[in-house]
Amino acid sequence: MSDSDPFDEIIANETDRDPDLAVIEAGSRTLRTQGAPPEADVPARPEDPEVDKALREVEAELATRWGETKLEPSVSRISALMDVLGEPQRSYPSIHITGTNGKTSTARMIEALLGAFELRTGRYTSPHVQSVTERISLDGAPISAERFIETYEDIKPYVEMVDGQQQYRLSFFEVLTGMAYAAFADAPVDVAVVEVGMGGSWDATNVIDGDVAVVTPIDLDHTDRLGETPGEIAVEKAGIIKQDAVVVLAQQPVDAAQVLLKKAVEVDATVAREGLEFGVVSRQVAVGGQLLTLRGLGGEYEEVYLPLHGPYQAHNAAVALAAVEAFFGVGAQRPDRLDIDTVRKAFAAVSAPGRLEVVRRSPTVVLDAAHNPAGARATAEAVGEAFDFSRLIGVVGASGDKNVRGLLEAFEPIFAEVVITQNSSHRAMEADELAAIAVEVFGEERVQVEPRLPDALEEAITLAEEDGEFAGGGVLVTGSVITVGEARLLLGRG
């Protein structure tokens, strides 16, 4: 073994590469060693047959309740549940996150930062990629199946009590929210990081009063429930901004920003805006991710390695950093920045399952849970930047309640061909119906239909290999979190 510096060794091995690029890549590899290797923390089914059986029984009971797409806009039921549980959500401070895209990735980054500063965290996010237990995390990892079952059994009598008192039973999402808040109180956590399910004002999570309210970019999604313009949608999302909180705003459309700022003024909240009080100073593509300089509320943070691809993830990182600074009082009570080595270590350890996640090589298969036009546009841009595909095949399975035409149009410039499929969810759009729209967007010669996801994956891999093993073909599986989760299982992850 040589005693030379690893950075110098990597540079020496890159003699046939652009020297500036070699330095960037070497820097990213060196920075990556500062944190634990990023791992996609998606749990598999329990190995113990009895535990697996018990978890399936809980899942079956939850499935009898209203799903996440059937809503009665009210917090009356979840408020009643919190009341009989003794208001567990008031026993810890919280960071509450809403927006259209980037919520889960931002929540994971916030969780990683808080954990690096030795705070015990609880994270509640949705939807899940493979296992419902992913939604509730403690100390940066999903709770065990045993703990999930125990938490459900603990609150079940109270859930049934509230069911009997309300016009409608508690929904699937409301019960899970109650479980998360109870699990966080039982742990106990030092801080909860909570992602809104839909909207804000009447979302089940909104029985907490977040010390910090985070709003990721607002775009058009769930327009039948939230509004038809970013400004209308922002009215609902502004509901998480509480009295005297700190509001961290990602870059927003003008009409959405006006609504959010007006609400902040009404409740005397302090506002930090991306592009003004904080932001991305610079970013460089690096091996497995990107190298960032971020401006936070307390100063600049240089040479931050983020093992995630795409400009949008850099912006999520800036938002997450500002949220954690705000939580610690940086920029208000304390003028100095957070410890930079701790920040670097935290970001280097971030993972985001199903967000431009590489699950296979030769050919490269990438999973991304983009499910609306804005998310698809961000993904398409990131794919072009992070991967040098000579031929990219899309596998798309979408939900019937989404703007699938807009999603397909966003991917049209980067897909050589697209294989249309469907996932196992009752919400899935029929493959033939989706294919009819795809033909209008891509042209008939670029569209294939394989209703079964395993067949779609096999066909896409075959198409990507047509130009030869080393030609740079790839596959992007996208359109729905459920499609991505099922593909992940089929490809041997989790």
Side-chain angles (χ1 to χ4, degrees), residues 335-379:
D336 53 323
R337 68 181 184 181
L338 300 174
D339 179 72
I340 191 164
D341 289 333
T342 305
V343 169
R344 286 172 177 160
K345 181 178 180 180
F347 276 120
V350 168
S351 68
R355 276 75 181 176
L356 283 180
E357 179 186 11
V358 177
V359 293
R360 173 185 162 148
R361 300 285 185 182
S362 298
T364 299
V365 178
V366 183
L367 307 181
D368 191 86
H371 56 272
N372 57 42
R377 289 192 295 271
T379 295

Side-chain angles (χ1 to χ4, degrees), residues 8 53 96 98 103 105 109 115 132 138-139 158 165 186 195 199 212 220 227 257 270 288 320 369 373 416 429-430 458:
D8 294 331
K53 179 184 176 184
H96 204 182
T98 191
K103 296 188 296 294
S105 295
M109 293 178 197
V132 69
L138 291 172
D139 296 320
Y158 301 96
Q165 297 170 346
D186 185 59
E195 174 188 335
V212 179
L220 302 182
T270 303
M429 177 175 280
E430 292 287 336
E458 184 176 347

Side-chain angles (χ1 to χ4, degrees), residues 266-490:
E266 290 172 357
V267 297
D268 294 322
T270 303
V271 178
R273 298 156 293 179
E274 184 181 8
L276 293 174
E277 285 78 22
F278 70 92
V280 178
V281 176
S282 66
R283 53 182 297 274
Q284 297 170 311
V285 177
V287 174
Q290 51 195 309
L291 198 59
L292 309 176
T293 296
L294 302 175
R295 186 177 76 251
L297 306 180
E300 286 198 0
Y301 298 78
E302 310 87 3
E303 293 190 323
V304 175
Y305 174 71
L306 181 68
L308 303 176
H309 300 290
Y312 68 98
Q313 293 289 20
H315 290 285
N316 289 342
V319 170
L321 177 60
V324 173
E325 286 183 308
F327 182 79
F328 284 126
V330 172
Q333 292 94 341
R334 47 186 289 191
D336 53 323
R337 68 181 184 181
L338 300 174
D339 179 72
I340 191 164
D341 289 333
T342 305
V343 169
R344 286 172 177 160
K345 181 178 180 180
F347 276 120
V350 168
S351 68
R355 276 75 181 176
L356 283 180
E357 179 186 11
V358 177
V359 293
R360 173 185 162 148
R361 300 285 185 182
S362 298
T364 299
V365 178
V366 183
L367 307 181
D368 191 86
H371 56 272
N372 57 42
R377 289 192 295 271
T379 295
E381 179 184 10
V383 167
E385 175 185 89
F387 301 95
D388 189 23
F389 292 128
S390 60
R391 174 181 172 82
L392 181 61
I393 309 301
V395 175
V396 180
S399 297
D401 59 347
K402 297 294 182 181
N403 178 359
V404 294
R405 180 180 296 276
L407 180 134
L408 291 168
E409 288 173 346
F411 284 124
E412 190 276 332
I414 69 168
F415 287 164
E417 296 182 58
V418 62
V419 181
I420 297 299
T421 190
Q422 66 188 70
N423 59 56
S424 63
S425 167
H426 68 279
R427 294 171 55 197
M429 177 175 280
E430 292 287 336
D432 288 342
E433 183 183 353
L434 180 57
I437 301 171
V439 166
E440 294 176 5
V441 174
F442 288 85
E444 189 172 356
E445 69 284 353
R446 293 168 63 195
V447 178
Q448 297 202 31
V449 185
E450 294 289 352
R452 294 182 66 253
L453 183 57
D455 297 337
L457 291 171
E458 184 176 347
E459 178 63 20
I461 289 169
T462 300
L463 289 169
E465 290 174 332
E466 279 187 354
D467 292 337
E469 184 179 354
F470 303 106
V475 175
L476 175 64
V477 184
T478 189
S480 161
V481 175
I482 297 168
T483 301
V484 162
E486 292 179 354
R488 209 171 180 278
L489 281 171
L490 289 166

